[in-house]
Amino acid sequence: MRNSGIRPMVEGGVLAAVAIMFAFISAYIPVIGPFVNLIWPVPIILLGVRHGYKWSIMATVVAGIIIAILMHPLHAVSVVVGFGLIGIVLGHAFRAGFSPARAIGWGAVASLVSKAAVLAIGAVFLSINPLNIQGDVMAQAAEQAIDFYRRLGMKEEDLARMGEMMRTMLDLFKVILPAGFVLAAVVDTYLNFVVAKAVLGRLGHRIAPFPPFKEWTLPRVFLYVFIIAILALYWGQSRDIKLLYNAGVNLQMLSTVALLVQGMAVFYFLADKYNLSRFVRGIILFLIFSNGFLMQVVIFAGAFDMALDYRRLRSPHSV
């Protein structure tokens, strides 16, 4: 019994040390630091898979305390609070045998909670709003870009149009921040899923893989969300209800991304069905992502498949 308790303690100490090292790399190495920051939860995931979520929680707390002592409490908050919960949840999901989609879903929820916690801590204890800071930075960058083009001799009327376009983009950025946070949560969860799965495979743990991309099918609820978003946009604009309009913009962005993913899966399904070469696929992909009309066609194909199950991948009771 004593040995059974020593092994997780030793591995927990080693993986907590790796997490602390990741924090140092993310803070002091410019090029790879941001990437290492994103995969900070991986050691926590490994510990959770091998010994359970209680050990991953303890390692996260210990790593946070040591990072706060050796570096700065703010860095501990941004790293440990911002990414620790993802590691705990994904580690438990792997250990419990969750399907990849379910693991990503719970991990994305954990990521959103972590991001909200970081923002709340900044607002309560530091009296700062990171969202406002980001907006101010972007506005300053836009002004610097306009000054740069003015020094190059661009006409004032062209600069005025450019400034108006940048202000419009900045206003849109502020509106779609909630959708951006959701998409960022899915992306960083997926990244940690892939990296942790690869490491666990080397350690002898078999993690269920995602199905081939051509067989991906997202819940039909995204199609309903898209319809709701269009209605919210219409009613919000026609009735001048700003909150409803902004909600519609965010819902439309999220559902459109889902439909695009579904449409790309349909494309890969058809490409395999008709044995298209890699060269032809590459040309088509380039045209899709460089032509707005073709991208809309792919989104429509995703909506069509989501509604009618063209690929016949859904069970009769799926939604």
Side-chain angles (χ1 to χ4, degrees):
M1 295 295 292
R2 180 183 296 178
N3 291 334
S4 64
I6 291 176
R7 182 174 180 179
M9 187 178 299
V10 172
E11 290 190 6
V14 171
L15 291 171
V18 172
I20 295 168
M21 181 183 68
F22 277 11
F24 274 90
I25 293 174
S26 67
Y28 298 118
I29 300 182
V31 178
I32 66 171
F35 174 76
V36 172
N37 193 48
L38 288 176
I39 63 170
W40 189 88
V42 170
I44 308 301
I45 296 172
L46 301 182
L47 186 60
V49 172
R50 293 176 66 83
H51 301 293
Y53 67 90
K54 292 181 180 179
W55 286 98
S56 59
I57 292 174
M58 285 191 289
T60 302
V61 172
V62 170
I65 293 173
I66 295 177
I67 291 171
I69 294 173
L70 297 180
M71 300 178 69
H72 195 281
L74 288 180
H75 193 68
V77 168
S78 64
V79 174
V80 178
V81 178
F83 295 97
L85 187 59
I86 304 174
I88 296 169
V89 171
L90 277 183
H92 175 70
F94 282 147
R95 186 178 177 87
F98 287 8
S99 67
R102 188 181 178 191
I104 292 294
W106 281 107
V109 172
S111 180
L112 277 175
V113 171
S114 298
K115 289 174 173 55
V118 171
L119 293 176
I121 291 172
V124 172
F125 293 100
L126 302 177
S127 299
I128 60 174
N129 188 342
L131 302 182
N132 290 338
I133 294 175
Q134 185 69 19
D136 293 341
V137 170
M138 294 183 65
Q140 185 178 2
E143 292 297 330
Q144 291 175 351
I146 292 175
D147 290 338
F148 173 76
Y149 284 111
R150 180 177 286 113
R151 289 194 296 269
L152 291 180
M154 183 177 287
K155 297 180 181 179
E156 286 298 325
E157 54 267 25
D158 294 334
L159 290 173
R161 284 194 295 269
M162 180 183 295
E164 183 64 27
M165 181 180 66
M166 288 182 175
R167 282 188 290 271
T168 301
M169 292 178 61
L170 182 58
D171 291 339
L172 178 61
F173 170 80
K174 293 177 180 178
V175 171
I176 64 174
L177 266 179
F181 273 113
V182 174
L183 293 175
V186 175
V187 170
D188 61 25
T189 302
Y190 179 78
L191 176 63
N192 280 281
F193 180 99
V194 171
V195 175
K197 179 179 177 298
V199 177
L200 287 167
R202 293 293 185 92
L203 296 176
H205 296 270
R206 187 187 180 280
I207 305 298
F210 275 98
F213 183 58
K214 66 178 181 179
E215 297 178 7
W216 282 25
T217 179
L218 300 181
R220 193 174 287 137
V221 67
F222 285 108
L223 184 58
Y224 305 145
V225 171
F226 182 78
I227 296 172
I228 293 172
I230 298 300
L231 294 175
L233 287 171
Y234 171 76
W235 284 100
Q237 190 170 32
S238 61
R239 298 291 191 270
D240 195 22
I241 306 175
K242 186 176 181 180
L243 182 61
L244 182 61
Y245 178 82
N246 291 347
V249 172
N250 283 275
L251 291 176
Q252 184 188 37
M253 180 178 175
L254 293 174
S255 56
T256 299
V257 170
L259 294 177
L260 177 62
V261 171
Q262 184 99 358
M264 292 303 301
V266 173
F267 163 71
Y268 274 87
F269 173 83
L270 295 174
D272 278 358
K273 181 178 179 180
Y274 294 105
N275 295 318
L276 297 183
S277 66
R278 289 187 177 182
F279 178 72
V280 174
R281 295 186 192 197
I283 293 176
I284 296 175
L285 288 173
F286 174 77
L287 292 175
I288 289 173
F289 288 102
S290 61
N291 186 290
F293 173 76
L294 291 180
M295 184 171 289
Q296 291 296 323
V297 170
V298 173
I299 292 172
F300 176 80
F304 176 82
D305 181 61
M306 197 173 284
L308 301 179
D309 191 20
Y310 168 76
R311 294 172 293 163
R312 299 292 184 268
L313 296 176
R314 295 181 182 275
S315 65
H317 304 289
S318 60
V319 294

